């Protein structure tokens, strides 16, 4: 079940980043309408493993963008 949720949320994240560009984790959660931090991080891990996104640290935030 978590794998299905992670996959679906990975699609939402990809769409949000494709439309909006670079976002923080907090912004991404809101824009992609992801319910929990756990679901967000599972989906980000999925996309990182597939080498679809890149991350960078800025102050206390993690910024996420498409490759």
């Amino acid at each position: 079940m978590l794998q299905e949720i992670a996959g679906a949320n990975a699609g939402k994240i990809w769409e949000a980043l494709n439309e909006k560009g670079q976002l923080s984790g907090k912004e991404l959660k809101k824009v992609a309408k992801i319910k929990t931090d756990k679901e967000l991080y599972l989906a980000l891990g999925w996309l990182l493993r597939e080498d679809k996104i890149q991350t960078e640290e800025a102050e206390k935030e993690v910024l996420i963008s498409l490759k």
Side-chain angles (χ1 to χ4, degrees):
M1 174 116 173
L2 280 178
Q3 188 173 7
E4 292 172 8
I5 292 169
N9 285 336
K12 291 178 185 179
I13 288 171
W14 194 94
E15 290 292 329
L17 292 172
N18 189 44
E19 183 179 314
K20 302 279 186 182
Q22 187 177 57
L23 296 169
S24 71
K26 187 176 183 177
E27 294 169 327
L28 188 54
K29 185 177 170 186
K30 183 177 180 178
V31 171
K33 298 178 183 167
I34 295 176
K35 296 175 185 174
T36 66
D37 286 342
K38 178 175 75 174
E39 290 179 3
L40 174 68
Y41 296 131
L42 283 169
L44 288 174
W46 181 298
L47 291 168
L48 281 166
R49 181 73 172 114
E50 290 187 346
D51 201 30
K52 304 277 186 193
I53 59 172
Q54 58 190 13
T55 60
E56 66 181 78
E57 281 189 80
E59 297 177 22
K60 294 184 180 184
E61 289 285 337
V62 175
L63 301 175
I64 302 122
S65 59
L66 295 178
K67 280 196 167 181

